[in-house]
Amino acid sequence: EAEVAQSPRYKITEKSQAVAFWCDPISGHATLYWYRQILGQGPELLVQFQDESVVDDSQLPKDRFSAERLKGVDSTLKIQPAELGDSAMYLCASNHPGRTKNTEAFFGQGTRLTVV
Amino acid sequence: LAKTTQPISMDSYEGQEVNITCSHNNIATNDYITWYQQFPSQGPRFIIQGYKTKVTNEVASLFIPADRKSSTLSLPRVSLSDTAVYYCLVGDLDTSGTYKYIFGTGTRLKVLA
């Protein structure tokens, strides 16, 4: 069964350092999402791509976070500089748009970030 | 996007049927109702989706009354492995065909032996 791949699974970084996460969606899925999930809370949407274009990044802290999906396939989420409050699980998801009755997003295993 | 309200937590025993109700008073005409399950340290997993009345799959049933202002996820005969957080989402496709998934705080289900 096809899966959304994320790496690394775990990352420990010092505050003020840069950190990056990678996501490879399911082949053919044009829509890609990045979420941040703080322990005990639901996932929070950070950015949504349709192919290589950003559809929604209203909740992305743009002073330190950036996301790209240059070829409309895999994507990278970067934080620079990292802050202690960025410690969370970062989840990537993908979906195939246009299936009007398909509301199923496929999530990866996530990257657990700890900022020390 | 319609906001959803769910109980924060529920306990149940193995073998029992569990019903988790979600309130979505401001659901729009085109909105679908979707439920996800999440285990610790894993991404959410799609369980079931519906628009009205009743939907059943191999995992769960989803009951939606005529006014669609609430929905109930029913898990038959739960086991310990059903201990997880369950999220109710409502939303629709935008003009580009993309769906926006906005999660609330979810319901933490704990199944006891």
Side-chain angles (χ1 to χ4, degrees):
Chain A
E1 181 176 294
E3 295 183 345
V4 175
Q6 289 189 250
S7 67
R9 279 284 276 137
Y10 303 93
K11 180 71 177 179
I12 300 175
T13 191
E14 295 183 346
K15 63 180 181 179
S16 79
Q17 296 298 304
V19 63
F21 316 123
W22 176 80
C23 172
D24 190 13
I26 292 173
S27 178
H29 281 193
T31 308
L32 184 147
Y33 311 81
W34 281 103
Y35 286 84
R36 174 174 60 185
Q37 186 172 26
I38 295 170
L39 195 63
Q41 300 182 16
E44 172 194 11
L45 179 65
L46 293 176
V47 62
Q48 178 180 343
F49 288 93
Q50 177 69 17
D51 298 311
E52 67 277 7
S53 300
V54 174
V55 174
D56 184 355
D57 63 355
S58 57
Q59 300 304 310
L60 188 70
K62 298 181 186 63
D63 57 334
R64 297 185 301 107
F65 286 65
S66 64
E68 61 183 15
R69 193 183 183 199
L70 294 176
K71 297 182 179 179
V73 180
D74 59 337
S75 176
T76 302
L77 179 69
K78 297 179 181 177
I79 307 175
Q80 183 174 17
E83 296 180 353
L84 295 177
D86 296 331
S87 295
M89 174 79 85
Y90 290 83
L91 293 160
C92 178
S94 70
N95 188 15
H96 190 299
R99 295 179 180 173
T100 58
K101 294 185 178 180
N102 175 17
T103 59
E104 179 175 2
F106 296 83
F107 283 80
Q109 295 273 52
T111 295
R112 171 72 67 187
L113 173 67
T114 302
V115 181
V116 297
Chain B
L1 291 170
K3 185 176 179 179
T4 61
T5 303
Q6 305 173 232
I8 293 175
S9 65
M10 296 179 67
D11 287 348
S12 181
Y13 288 94
E14 280 190 292
Q16 290 188 332
E17 178 185 75
V18 171
N19 296 308
I20 306 174
T21 298
C22 178
S23 172
H24 28 80
N25 291 317
N26 296 320
I27 190 169
T29 302
N30 295 328
D31 283 350
Y32 280 80
I33 300 157
T34 312
W35 285 80
Y36 281 79
Q37 174 192 57
Q38 186 177 29
F39 298 113
S41 299
Q42 293 187 25
R45 184 175 70 100
F46 173 91
I47 300 176
I48 197 167
Q49 166 214 297
Y51 183 79
K52 61 180 179 180
T53 63
K54 177 184 176 181
V55 179
T56 298
N57 62 21
E58 64 278 6
V59 177
S61 295
L62 179 60
F63 298 92
I64 305 168
D67 66 4
R68 303 200 328 120
K69 293 184 182 300
S70 66
S71 60
T72 300
L73 175 73
S74 181
L75 305 173
R77 300 182 59 79
V78 294
S79 64
L80 295 176
S81 62
D82 292 317
T83 295
V85 179
Y86 292 83
Y87 294 97
C88 165
L89 288 73
V90 298
D92 66 345
L93 294 168
D94 63 23
T95 54
S96 69
T98 60
Y99 191 88
K100 194 176 296 292
Y101 303 88
I102 305 298
F103 290 79
T105 54
T107 298
R108 295 182 177 278
L109 172 66
K110 185 174 182 180
V111 180
L112 307 169

